[in-house]
Amino acid sequence: MSQWMDEEAGPFVRPYALIRGRTRSSGENLDLIAMVTATGEPPVAGLGPEQEAILRAARTPISVADVAVELDLPVGVVRVLLGDLRDNGLVSVSSPSSAGPRPNERILKEVINGLRAL
């Protein structure tokens, strides 16, 4: 992606242009901690460099937030790109609720109170 950067001016292509001005993908909005796993391998015909970078990063499960950090793109842009990849069957997304049971709110409050007491 360095071919799209100018050291003084910044990126030649603004992030919203990568997703053609869309703010949402066709599916559900992806949680920041949802885990993404590539089901396809780059290079895939018709994909842009950002989408290929996502597929490389998601060879092992990675969170949506970590993909945004890896690509140095806003989370909103990454969510749309991931939604497109998911629609084309190139990534699978596991929602946080399917990762297992979440801790009880009472237990979390006790942990916070215990940490404050330190």
Side-chain angles (χ1 to χ4, degrees), residues 4-34:
W4 299 111
M5 290 291 293
D6 179 277
E7 288 187 33
E8 292 180 27
F12 293 133
V13 178
R14 297 291 178 220
Y16 71 90
L18 297 173
I19 54 175
R20 297 179 297 283
R22 296 175 295 150
T23 58
R24 302 187 131 218
S25 62
S26 62
E28 65 189 50
N29 198 15
L30 301 173
D31 195 307
L32 286 174
I33 59 173

PDB file of all heavy atoms in Angstrom, residues 4-34:
ATOM      1  N   TRP A   4       0.452   4.091  -2.531  1.00  0.00           N
ATOM      2  CA  TRP A   4      -0.650   5.039  -2.398  1.00  0.00           C
ATOM      3  C   TRP A   4      -0.370   6.106  -1.349  1.00  0.00           C
ATOM      4  O   TRP A   4      -1.253   6.857  -0.974  1.00  0.00           O
ATOM      5  CB  TRP A   4      -1.939   4.305  -2.057  1.00  0.00           C
ATOM      6  CG  TRP A   4      -2.346   3.338  -3.110  1.00  0.00           C
ATOM      7  CD1 TRP A   4      -2.340   1.973  -3.010  1.00  0.00           C
ATOM      8  CD2 TRP A   4      -2.787   3.630  -4.430  1.00  0.00           C
ATOM      9  NE1 TRP A   4      -2.751   1.413  -4.181  1.00  0.00           N
ATOM     10  CE2 TRP A   4      -3.036   2.407  -5.082  1.00  0.00           C
ATOM     11  CE3 TRP A   4      -2.991   4.812  -5.144  1.00  0.00           C
ATOM     12  CZ2 TRP A   4      -3.483   2.328  -6.384  1.00  0.00           C
ATOM     13  CZ3 TRP A   4      -3.437   4.723  -6.449  1.00  0.00           C
ATOM     14  CH2 TRP A   4      -3.680   3.502  -7.049  1.00  0.00           C
ATOM     15  N   MET A   5       0.877   6.140  -0.864  1.00  0.00           N
ATOM     16  CA  MET A   5       1.236   7.105   0.181  1.00  0.00           C
ATOM     17  C   MET A   5       2.252   8.107  -0.339  1.00  0.00           C
ATOM     18  O   MET A   5       3.117   7.779  -1.132  1.00  0.00           O
ATOM     19  CB  MET A   5       1.835   6.389   1.391  1.00  0.00           C
ATOM     20  CG  MET A   5       0.839   5.576   2.183  1.00  0.00           C
ATOM     21  SD  MET A   5      -0.361   6.562   3.058  1.00  0.00           S
ATOM     22  CE  MET A   5       0.660   7.357   4.261  1.00  0.00           C
ATOM     23  N   ASP A   6       2.139   9.313   0.117  1.00  0.00           N
ATOM     24  CA  ASP A   6       3.123  10.352  -0.117  1.00  0.00           C
ATOM     25  C   ASP A   6       3.561  10.798   1.269  1.00  0.00           C
ATOM     26  O   ASP A   6       2.733  11.121   2.110  1.00  0.00           O
ATOM     27  CB  ASP A   6       2.500  11.514  -0.897  1.00  0.00           C
ATOM     28  CG  ASP A   6       3.481  12.634  -1.132  1.00  0.00           C
ATOM     29  OD1 ASP A   6       3.652  13.465  -0.218  1.00  0.00           O
ATOM     30  OD2 ASP A   6       4.089  12.672  -2.226  1.00  0.00           O
ATOM     31  N   GLU A   7       4.862  10.811   1.532  1.00  0.00           N
ATOM     32  CA  GLU A   7       5.353  11.091   2.883  1.00  0.00           C
ATOM     33  C   GLU A   7       4.869  12.431   3.418  1.00  0.00           C
ATOM     34  O   GLU A   7       4.589  12.573   4.596  1.00  0.00           O
ATOM     35  CB  GLU A   7       6.870  11.009   2.912  1.00  0.00           C
ATOM     36  CG  GLU A   7       7.363   9.589   2.794  1.00  0.00           C
ATOM     37  CD  GLU A   7       8.867   9.498   2.985  1.00  0.00           C
ATOM     38  OE1 GLU A   7       9.423  10.291   3.761  1.00  0.00           O
ATOM     39  OE2 GLU A   7       9.463   8.618   2.347  1.00  0.00           O
ATOM     40  N   GLU A   8       4.754  13.430   2.563  1.00  0.00           N
ATOM     41  CA  GLU A   8       4.338  14.752   3.037  1.00  0.00           C
ATOM     42  C   GLU A   8       2.825  14.947   3.013  1.00  0.00           C
ATOM     43  O   GLU A   8       2.252  15.520   3.919  1.00  0.00           O
ATOM     44  CB  GLU A   8       5.010  15.836   2.186  1.00  0.00           C
ATOM     45  CG  GLU A   8       6.510  15.894   2.394  1.00  0.00           C
ATOM     46  CD  GLU A   8       7.158  16.977   1.549  1.00  0.00           C
ATOM     47  OE1 GLU A   8       6.479  17.964   1.221  1.00  0.00           O
ATOM     48  OE2 GLU A   8       8.339  16.812   1.223  1.00  0.00           O
ATOM     49  N   ALA A   9       2.182  14.444   1.972  1.00  0.00           N
ATOM     50  CA  ALA A   9       0.752  14.705   1.797  1.00  0.00           C
ATOM     51  C   ALA A   9      -0.140  13.660   2.441  1.00  0.00           C
ATOM     52  O   ALA A   9      -1.295  13.913   2.709  1.00  0.00           O
ATOM     53  CB  ALA A   9       0.417  14.803   0.306  1.00  0.00           C
ATOM     54  N   GLY A  10       0.378  12.456   2.686  1.00  0.00           N
ATOM     55  CA  GLY A  10      -0.438  11.384   3.240  1.00  0.00           C
ATOM     56  C   GLY A  10      -0.996  10.515   2.128  1.00  0.00           C
ATOM     57  O   GLY A  10      -0.445  10.475   1.031  1.00  0.00           O
ATOM     58  N   PRO A  11      -2.109   9.834   2.377  1.00  0.00           N
ATOM     59  CA  PRO A  11      -2.642   8.906   1.375  1.00  0.00           C
ATOM     60  C   PRO A  11      -3.203   9.650   0.159  1.00  0.00           C
ATOM     61  O   PRO A  11      -3.802  10.704   0.289  1.00  0.00           O
ATOM     62  CB  PRO A  11      -3.742   8.160   2.119  1.00  0.00           C
ATOM     63  CG  PRO A  11      -4.068   8.982   3.292  1.00  0.00           C
ATOM     64  CD  PRO A  11      -2.865   9.819   3.612  1.00  0.00           C
ATOM     65  N   PHE A  12      -2.980   9.081  -1.040  1.00  0.00           N
ATOM     66  CA  PHE A  12      -3.552   9.639  -2.261  1.00  0.00           C
ATOM     67  C   PHE A  12      -5.042   9.340  -2.345  1.00  0.00           C
ATOM     68  O   PHE A  12      -5.806  10.125  -2.860  1.00  0.00           O
ATOM     69  CB  PHE A  12      -2.871   9.045  -3.508  1.00  0.00           C
ATOM     70  CG  PHE A  12      -1.436   9.442  -3.661  1.00  0.00           C
ATOM     71  CD1 PHE A  12      -0.481   8.487  -3.945  1.00  0.00           C
ATOM     72  CD2 PHE A  12      -1.023  10.755  -3.533  1.00  0.00           C
ATOM     73  CE1 PHE A  12       0.841   8.838  -4.106  1.00  0.00           C
ATOM     74  CE2 PHE A  12       0.291  11.114  -3.688  1.00  0.00           C
ATOM     75  CZ  PHE A  12       1.233  10.162  -3.973  1.00  0.00           C
ATOM     76  N   VAL A  13      -5.430   8.169  -1.878  1.00  0.00           N
ATOM     77  CA  VAL A  13      -6.824   7.750  -1.920  1.00  0.00           C
ATOM     78  C   VAL A  13      -7.366   7.794  -0.494  1.00  0.00           C
ATOM     79  O   VAL A  13      -6.853   7.136   0.392  1.00  0.00           O
ATOM     80  CB  VAL A  13      -6.954   6.316  -2.494  1.00  0.00           C
ATOM     81  CG1 VAL A  13      -8.403   5.864  -2.497  1.00  0.00           C
ATOM     82  CG2 VAL A  13      -6.356   6.249  -3.886  1.00  0.00           C
ATOM     83  N   ARG A  14      -8.379   8.586  -0.295  1.00  0.00           N
ATOM     84  CA  ARG A  14      -8.970   8.690   1.038  1.00  0.00           C
ATOM     85  C   ARG A  14      -9.744   7.423   1.361  1.00  0.00           C
ATOM     86  O   ARG A  14     -10.297   6.772   0.471  1.00  0.00           O
ATOM     87  CB  ARG A  14      -9.889   9.911   1.107  1.00  0.00           C
ATOM     88  CG  ARG A  14      -9.151  11.212   0.912  1.00  0.00           C
ATOM     89  CD  ARG A  14      -8.253  11.475   2.093  1.00  0.00           C
ATOM     90  NE  ARG A  14      -7.494  12.699   1.904  1.00  0.00           N
ATOM     91  CZ  ARG A  14      -6.223  12.832   2.254  1.00  0.00           C
ATOM     92  NH1 ARG A  14      -5.584  11.829   2.797  1.00  0.00           N
ATOM     93  NH2 ARG A  14      -5.592  13.956   2.065  1.00  0.00           N
ATOM     94  N   PRO A  15      -9.799   7.061   2.652  1.00  0.00           N
ATOM     95  CA  PRO A  15     -10.438   5.795   3.040  1.00  0.00           C
ATOM     96  C   PRO A  15     -11.857   5.605   2.513  1.00  0.00           C
ATOM     97  O   PRO A  15     -12.216   4.516   2.078  1.00  0.00           O
ATOM     98  CB  PRO A  15     -10.413   5.840   4.565  1.00  0.00           C
ATOM     99  CG  PRO A  15      -9.231   6.682   4.885  1.00  0.00           C
ATOM    100  CD  PRO A  15      -9.192   7.728   3.789  1.00  0.00           C
ATOM    101  N   TYR A  16     -12.672   6.664   2.523  1.00  0.00           N
ATOM    102  CA  TYR A  16     -14.052   6.487   2.070  1.00  0.00           C
ATOM    103  C   TYR A  16     -14.113   6.141   0.584  1.00  0.00           C
ATOM    104  O   TYR A  16     -15.057   5.505   0.120  1.00  0.00           O
ATOM    105  CB  TYR A  16     -14.910   7.718   2.365  1.00  0.00           C
ATOM    106  CG  TYR A  16     -14.600   8.924   1.509  1.00  0.00           C
ATOM    107  CD1 TYR A  16     -15.249   9.128   0.312  1.00  0.00           C
ATOM    108  CD2 TYR A  16     -13.650   9.859   1.916  1.00  0.00           C
ATOM    109  CE1 TYR A  16     -14.963  10.227  -0.483  1.00  0.00           C
ATOM    110  CE2 TYR A  16     -13.359  10.949   1.131  1.00  0.00           C
ATOM    111  CZ  TYR A  16     -14.017  11.134  -0.064  1.00  0.00           C
ATOM    112  OH  TYR A  16     -13.729  12.220  -0.845  1.00  0.00           O
ATOM    113  N   ALA A  17     -13.089   6.526  -0.187  1.00  0.00           N
ATOM    114  CA  ALA A  17     -13.061   6.189  -1.616  1.00  0.00           C
ATOM    115  C   ALA A  17     -12.834   4.692  -1.813  1.00  0.00           C
ATOM    116  O   ALA A  17     -13.287   4.117  -2.813  1.00  0.00           O
ATOM    117  CB  ALA A  17     -11.975   6.984  -2.327  1.00  0.00           C
ATOM    118  N   LEU A  18     -12.146   4.044  -0.866  1.00  0.00           N
ATOM    119  CA  LEU A  18     -11.903   2.604  -0.967  1.00  0.00           C
ATOM    120  C   LEU A  18     -13.202   1.811  -0.936  1.00  0.00           C
ATOM    121  O   LEU A  18     -13.292   0.729  -1.498  1.00  0.00           O
ATOM    122  CB  LEU A  18     -11.013   2.127   0.187  1.00  0.00           C
ATOM    123  CG  LEU A  18      -9.606   2.700   0.252  1.00  0.00           C
ATOM    124  CD1 LEU A  18      -8.932   2.261   1.546  1.00  0.00           C
ATOM    125  CD2 LEU A  18      -8.801   2.273  -0.954  1.00  0.00           C
ATOM    126  N   ILE A  19     -14.197   2.375  -0.260  1.00  0.00           N
ATOM    127  CA  ILE A  19     -15.473   1.663  -0.108  1.00  0.00           C
ATOM    128  C   ILE A  19     -16.590   2.367  -0.878  1.00  0.00           C
ATOM    129  O   ILE A  19     -17.757   2.162  -0.609  1.00  0.00           O
ATOM    130  CB  ILE A  19     -15.827   1.482   1.381  1.00  0.00           C
ATOM    131  CG1 ILE A  19     -15.802   2.807   2.128  1.00  0.00           C
ATOM    132  CG2 ILE A  19     -14.899   0.478   2.021  1.00  0.00           C
ATOM    133  CD1 ILE A  19     -16.236   2.756   3.564  1.00  0.00           C
ATOM    134  N   ARG A  20     -16.185   3.218  -1.824  1.00  0.00           N
ATOM    135  CA  ARG A  20     -17.119   3.927  -2.703  1.00  0.00           C
ATOM    136  C   ARG A  20     -18.165   4.719  -1.917  1.00  0.00           C
ATOM    137  O   ARG A  20     -19.331   4.758  -2.280  1.00  0.00           O
ATOM    138  CB  ARG A  20     -17.757   2.953  -3.688  1.00  0.00           C
ATOM    139  CG  ARG A  20     -16.739   2.306  -4.615  1.00  0.00           C
ATOM    140  CD  ARG A  20     -17.332   1.323  -5.573  1.00  0.00           C
ATOM    141  NE  ARG A  20     -17.970   0.156  -4.998  1.00  0.00           N
ATOM    142  CZ  ARG A  20     -17.319  -0.907  -4.510  1.00  0.00           C
ATOM    143  NH1 ARG A  20     -16.030  -0.949  -4.511  1.00  0.00           N
ATOM    144  NH2 ARG A  20     -17.990  -1.937  -4.030  1.00  0.00           N
ATOM    145  N   GLY A  21     -17.746   5.333  -0.819  1.00  0.00           N
ATOM    146  CA  GLY A  21     -18.625   6.198  -0.045  1.00  0.00           C
ATOM    147  C   GLY A  21     -19.636   5.489   0.829  1.00  0.00           C
ATOM    148  O   GLY A  21     -20.422   6.132   1.514  1.00  0.00           O
ATOM    149  N   ARG A  22     -19.627   4.164   0.855  1.00  0.00           N
ATOM    150  CA  ARG A  22     -20.592   3.431   1.682  1.00  0.00           C
ATOM    151  C   ARG A  22     -20.201   3.537   3.152  1.00  0.00           C
ATOM    152  O   ARG A  22     -19.037   3.623   3.489  1.00  0.00           O
ATOM    153  CB  ARG A  22     -20.638   1.955   1.280  1.00  0.00           C
ATOM    154  CG  ARG A  22     -21.141   1.749  -0.137  1.00  0.00           C
ATOM    155  CD  ARG A  22     -21.074   0.309  -0.562  1.00  0.00           C
ATOM    156  NE  ARG A  22     -19.666  -0.102  -0.607  1.00  0.00           N
ATOM    157  CZ  ARG A  22     -19.238  -1.334  -0.385  1.00  0.00           C
ATOM    158  NH1 ARG A  22     -20.080  -2.290  -0.089  1.00  0.00           N
ATOM    159  NH2 ARG A  22     -17.960  -1.628  -0.467  1.00  0.00           N
ATOM    160  N   THR A  23     -21.176   3.502   4.005  1.00  0.00           N
ATOM    161  CA  THR A  23     -20.902   3.530   5.439  1.00  0.00           C
ATOM    162  C   THR A  23     -21.245   2.207   6.112  1.00  0.00           C
ATOM    163  O   THR A  23     -20.920   2.014   7.274  1.00  0.00           O
ATOM    164  CB  THR A  23     -21.691   4.656   6.135  1.00  0.00           C
ATOM    165  OG1 THR A  23     -23.084   4.471   5.894  1.00  0.00           O
ATOM    166  CG2 THR A  23     -21.241   6.017   5.627  1.00  0.00           C
ATOM    167  N   ARG A  24     -21.911   1.320   5.381  1.00  0.00           N
ATOM    168  CA  ARG A  24     -22.297   0.014   5.930  1.00  0.00           C
ATOM    169  C   ARG A  24     -22.175  -1.042   4.854  1.00  0.00           C
ATOM    170  O   ARG A  24     -22.317  -0.766   3.679  1.00  0.00           O
ATOM    171  CB  ARG A  24     -23.742   0.020   6.437  1.00  0.00           C
ATOM    172  CG  ARG A  24     -23.982   1.047   7.490  1.00  0.00           C
ATOM    173  CD  ARG A  24     -25.334   0.919   8.088  1.00  0.00           C
ATOM    174  NE  ARG A  24     -25.096   0.950   9.528  1.00  0.00           N
ATOM    175  CZ  ARG A  24     -25.737   0.238  10.395  1.00  0.00           C
ATOM    176  NH1 ARG A  24     -26.694  -0.545  10.035  1.00  0.00           N
ATOM    177  NH2 ARG A  24     -25.455   0.316  11.669  1.00  0.00           N
ATOM    178  N   SER A  25     -21.937  -2.273   5.299  1.00  0.00           N
ATOM    179  CA  SER A  25     -21.950  -3.389   4.354  1.00  0.00           C
ATOM    180  C   SER A  25     -23.369  -3.927   4.280  1.00  0.00           C
ATOM    181  O   SER A  25     -24.252  -3.480   5.006  1.00  0.00           O
ATOM    182  CB  SER A  25     -20.972  -4.475   4.791  1.00  0.00           C
ATOM    183  OG  SER A  25     -21.347  -4.985   6.043  1.00  0.00           O
ATOM    184  N   SER A  26     -23.584  -4.904   3.439  1.00  0.00           N
ATOM    185  CA  SER A  26     -24.944  -5.419   3.240  1.00  0.00           C
ATOM    186  C   SER A  26     -25.453  -6.223   4.436  1.00  0.00           C
ATOM    187  O   SER A  26     -26.641  -6.344   4.638  1.00  0.00           O
ATOM    188  CB  SER A  26     -25.007  -6.284   1.980  1.00  0.00           C
ATOM    189  OG  SER A  26     -24.164  -7.405   2.127  1.00  0.00           O
ATOM    190  N   GLY A  27     -24.544  -6.786   5.230  1.00  0.00           N
ATOM    191  CA  GLY A  27     -24.954  -7.621   6.361  1.00  0.00           C
ATOM    192  C   GLY A  27     -25.000  -6.838   7.658  1.00  0.00           C
ATOM    193  O   GLY A  27     -25.023  -5.611   7.682  1.00  0.00           O
ATOM    194  N   GLU A  28     -24.985  -7.576   8.735  1.00  0.00           N
ATOM    195  CA  GLU A  28     -25.011  -6.967  10.060  1.00  0.00           C
ATOM    196  C   GLU A  28     -23.701  -6.248  10.352  1.00  0.00           C
ATOM    197  O   GLU A  28     -22.657  -6.579   9.787  1.00  0.00           O
ATOM    198  CB  GLU A  28     -25.266  -8.043  11.116  1.00  0.00           C
ATOM    199  CG  GLU A  28     -24.127  -9.051  11.185  1.00  0.00           C
ATOM    200  CD  GLU A  28     -24.453 -10.236  12.061  1.00  0.00           C
ATOM    201  OE1 GLU A  28     -25.531 -10.820  11.875  1.00  0.00           O
ATOM    202  OE2 GLU A  28     -23.618 -10.566  12.905  1.00  0.00           O
ATOM    203  N   ASN A  29     -23.762  -5.264  11.219  1.00  0.00           N
ATOM    204  CA  ASN A  29     -22.574  -4.524  11.612  1.00  0.00           C
ATOM    205  C   ASN A  29     -21.667  -5.439  12.438  1.00  0.00           C
ATOM    206  O   ASN A  29     -22.137  -6.172  13.293  1.00  0.00           O
ATOM    207  CB  ASN A  29     -22.972  -3.292  12.422  1.00  0.00           C
ATOM    208  CG  ASN A  29     -21.866  -2.276  12.493  1.00  0.00           C
ATOM    209  OD1 ASN A  29     -20.894  -2.334  11.739  1.00  0.00           O
ATOM    210  ND2 ASN A  29     -22.010  -1.339  13.402  1.00  0.00           N
ATOM    211  N   LEU A  30     -20.382  -5.408  12.170  1.00  0.00           N
ATOM    212  CA  LEU A  30     -19.440  -6.296  12.840  1.00  0.00           C
ATOM    213  C   LEU A  30     -18.945  -5.680  14.140  1.00  0.00           C
ATOM    214  O   LEU A  30     -18.525  -4.533  14.177  1.00  0.00           O
ATOM    215  CB  LEU A  30     -18.248  -6.580  11.921  1.00  0.00           C
ATOM    216  CG  LEU A  30     -18.590  -7.220  10.581  1.00  0.00           C
ATOM    217  CD1 LEU A  30     -17.355  -7.300   9.709  1.00  0.00           C
ATOM    218  CD2 LEU A  30     -19.183  -8.588  10.788  1.00  0.00           C
ATOM    219  N   ASP A  31     -18.985  -6.466  15.196  1.00  0.00           N
ATOM    220  CA  ASP A  31     -18.478  -6.051  16.496  1.00  0.00           C
ATOM    221  C   ASP A  31     -16.959  -5.923  16.437  1.00  0.00           C
ATOM    222  O   ASP A  31     -16.292  -6.660  15.711  1.00  0.00           O
ATOM    223  CB  ASP A  31     -18.873  -7.097  17.538  1.00  0.00           C
ATOM    224  CG  ASP A  31     -18.716  -6.604  18.959  1.00  0.00           C
ATOM    225  OD1 ASP A  31     -17.615  -6.136  19.292  1.00  0.00           O
ATOM    226  OD2 ASP A  31     -19.681  -6.689  19.717  1.00  0.00           O
ATOM    227  N   LEU A  32     -16.404  -4.988  17.200  1.00  0.00           N
ATOM    228  CA  LEU A  32     -14.949  -4.789  17.209  1.00  0.00           C
ATOM    229  C   LEU A  32     -14.184  -6.023  17.642  1.00  0.00           C
ATOM    230  O   LEU A  32     -13.054  -6.240  17.211  1.00  0.00           O
ATOM    231  CB  LEU A  32     -14.580  -3.628  18.140  1.00  0.00           C
ATOM    232  CG  LEU A  32     -14.889  -2.238  17.626  1.00  0.00           C
ATOM    233  CD1 LEU A  32     -14.598  -1.203  18.708  1.00  0.00           C
ATOM    234  CD2 LEU A  32     -14.105  -1.932  16.377  1.00  0.00           C
ATOM    235  N   ILE A  33     -14.787  -6.849  18.498  1.00  0.00           N
ATOM    236  CA  ILE A  33     -14.067  -8.022  18.988  1.00  0.00           C
ATOM    237  C   ILE A  33     -14.457  -9.306  18.266  1.00  0.00           C
ATOM    238  O   ILE A  33     -14.010 -10.382  18.635  1.00  0.00           O
ATOM    239  CB  ILE A  33     -14.238  -8.194  20.516  1.00  0.00           C
ATOM    240  CG1 ILE A  33     -15.708  -8.354  20.897  1.00  0.00           C
ATOM    241  CG2 ILE A  33     -13.583  -7.047  21.251  1.00  0.00           C
ATOM    242  CD1 ILE A  33     -15.922  -8.681  22.355  1.00  0.00           C
ATOM    243  N   ALA A  34     -15.279  -9.161  17.206  1.00  0.00           N
ATOM    244  CA  ALA A  34     -15.612 -10.335  16.391  1.00  0.00           C
ATOM    245  C   ALA A  34     -14.334 -10.857  15.751  1.00  0.00           C
ATOM    246  O   ALA A  34     -13.452 -10.091  15.362  1.00  0.00           O
ATOM    247  CB  ALA A  34     -16.631  -9.960  15.322  1.00  0.00           C
TER     248      ALA A  34
END
